[in-house]
Amino acid sequence: MTRTGRLTDMGRPARTHHLAGNPVHPASEPGPPATISTGWTVPWGLSWLPDGSALLTERDAFKVSALTRSGTKREVGEVPNVVTTGGEGGLLSIAVSPSWKTDHHVYVMHTADEGNRIARMTFDGSTLSDYTVVVDGIKKNTYHNGGRIKFGPDGYLYATTGDAQTPDLAQDRTSLNGKILRMTPEGKPAPGNPFHSLVYSYGHRNPQGLTWDDQGRLWEGELGDSKFDELNLVEPGKNYGWPRCEGGCSTSGMTNPKRQWPVAEASPSAVAYADGAIYMAALRGERLWRIPVDGTSTGTPKAYYTHDYGRLRTVESVPGTRSLWLTTTNADNNGEGEAGSDKVFQIDLR
Ligand SMILES: [Ca+2]
């Protein structure tokens, strides 16, 4: 059947199409950001708790705080064994266990003495405690540490790892660097992984964004080198090109990005799916990109808030609502903000 309502790369606007067989995506646009919370210093990761509040990490302070929907912030603990790299390492993302109500587990990805790690801690609703290494020995460097972890709709934990400034690691399927990893909550290779290891996809440079669309497809945002940043549709076992390709190329065996941007316009950290589009928070580009998706196709990206709020780090869809939370990281060493100058915004889709 011809999918006449499908978005094309020519940029058909994301208007609602009630066509048989087509998912209905209400067209929505992000409204003006409303400040939920101030006083943050390099907030990096954000994960929702069942009560609707979020846990956020602060990269350089190694701290985790809870933030309610109405903006009440409360520090719940510090992650042990974290070190900074003087660049992009430190306490990166956090992921609440999908069965948190019974196991009280939360996962963090962070830089440690020997490399980057994924660790599990206990959060009892008020305080962070315990510490168990789940995966360690992921090579680190000053830059390119990846750092996003999220539970997928399949219940497995996914992680993005950077090339640690050693590009060839991305093409080495035995290395944990330059990869998307997929694991059980105990850190073992998830059933069905393509190489019977933790590796899910490879050929990534510095991926930091992971999200799933409403059909369960995995999309990934990745920082490029000097030419192109990427939005990729990730499938298991595929090679996303780095370092042989930056952005799209015609090299056999490589999977090209669905979209690419000059690095000055993007440098994306997080991506989040909401309401028929992927939202991509841009650091250097200092803007929020909205990329309409329909199936495996993407429509024309549109930028919002360019240079209005500085470096945008993390965007997440707020569960049960048509809204996003968005964080800045202007207080990092690439930004010009003072300590405590970062914010969390809420954006309603309308
Ligand atoms: Ca690529």
Side-chain angles (χ1 to χ4, degrees):
M1 164 183 157
T2 303
R3 302 186 62 197
T4 51
R6 171 181 181 157
L7 293 174
T8 72
D9 287 354
M10 299 307 288
R12 183 195 298 269
R15 292 297 165 203
T16 305
H17 294 282
H18 295 272
L19 298 177
N22 251 9
V24 175
H25 293 312
S28 61
E29 287 205 278
T35 303
I36 289 283
S37 180
T38 61
W40 297 79
T41 303
V42 200
W44 209 107
L46 190 166
S47 186
W48 302 104
L49 288 160
D51 72 357
S53 62
L55 293 178
L56 286 88
T57 56
E58 284 177 287
R59 187 189 70 185
D60 297 347
F62 315 152
K63 287 177 178 168
V64 176
S65 296
L67 183 62
T68 68
R69 292 278 178 90
S70 57
T72 302
K73 177 186 179 183
R74 184 172 59 84
E75 188 180 317
V76 301
E78 188 170 324
V79 177
N81 306 312
V82 186
V83 301
T84 178
T85 66
E88 295 169 352
L91 176 57
L92 302 174
S93 62
I94 188 164
V96 175
S97 164
S99 47
W100 180 83
K101 281 184 175 174
T102 51
D103 62 30
H104 287 164
H105 287 157
V106 299
Y107 293 75
V108 289
M109 187 164 178
H110 71 84
T111 312
D113 281 335
E114 90 291 346
N116 289 309
R117 286 183 183 179
I118 298 164
R120 187 180 72 217
M121 297 188 71
T122 299
F123 176 63
D124 63 5
S126 62
T127 308
L128 207 56
S129 63
D130 302 335
Y131 178 94
T132 304
V133 174
V134 171
V135 173
D136 63 1
I138 304 166
K139 287 189 171 59
K140 68 175 180 178
N141 212 316
T142 308
Y143 305 105
H144 307 183
N145 293 294
R148 191 73 58 181
I149 52 173
K150 278 191 186 180
F151 280 93
D154 58 7
Y156 295 111
L157 183 65
Y158 291 71
T160 66
T161 66
D163 71 3
Q165 297 172 265
T166 308
D168 287 346
L169 292 178
Q171 290 294 320
D172 178 357
R173 296 198 317 222
T174 67
S175 161
L176 295 180
N177 285 86
K179 304 295 185 305
I180 295 176
L181 309 178
R182 176 174 175 262
M183 67 195 73
T184 68
E186 293 74 39
K188 304 300 181 200
N193 277 5
F195 311 116
H196 310 290
S197 68
L198 294 175
V199 173
Y200 188 70
S201 63
Y202 65 110
H204 300 287
R205 179 180 176 274
N206 189 17
Q208 293 189 2
L210 287 176
T211 194
W212 288 264
D213 65 25
D214 59 359
Q215 302 298 307
R217 296 183 188 89
L218 173 59
W219 298 80
E220 170 257 354
E222 177 167 337
L223 293 111
D225 183 19
S226 57
K227 299 187 188 80
F228 296 115
D229 301 312
E230 301 180 350
L231 176 70
N232 289 298
L233 175 59
V234 172
E235 295 179 337
K238 290 198 169 175
N239 182 349
Y240 288 83
W242 178 256
R244 297 180 196 165
C245 309
E246 182 181 356
C249 67
S250 55
T251 304
S252 173
M254 305 300 177
T255 299
N256 284 335
K258 288 291 182 178
R259 288 281 163 181
Q260 63 188 41
W261 292 261
V263 294
E265 296 177 11
S267 300
S269 185
V271 291
Y273 177 86
D275 243 7
I278 290 169
Y279 289 88
M280 188 175 85
L283 293 163
R284 185 175 163 195
E286 300 186 347
R287 67 201 76 180
L288 183 70
W289 285 102
R290 179 185 187 276
I291 306 107
V293 297
D294 187 358
T296 61
S297 298
T298 56
T300 301
K302 182 177 176 183
Y304 295 85
Y305 325 132
T306 304
H307 302 312
D308 289 347
Y309 305 102
R311 298 164 58 76
L312 304 181
R313 170 68 65 179
T314 282
V315 60
E316 288 289 343
S317 179
V318 182
T321 74
R322 292 179 68 214
S323 61
L324 309 170
W325 274 15
L326 175 69
T327 72
T328 68
T329 51
N330 289 309
D332 68 13
N333 35 10
N334 291 311
E336 295 172 352
E338 301 293 317
S341 65
D342 285 315
K343 297 177 180 177
V344 181
F345 298 110
Q346 177 165 318
I347 294 164
D348 292 333
L349 303 177
R350 56 193 190 178

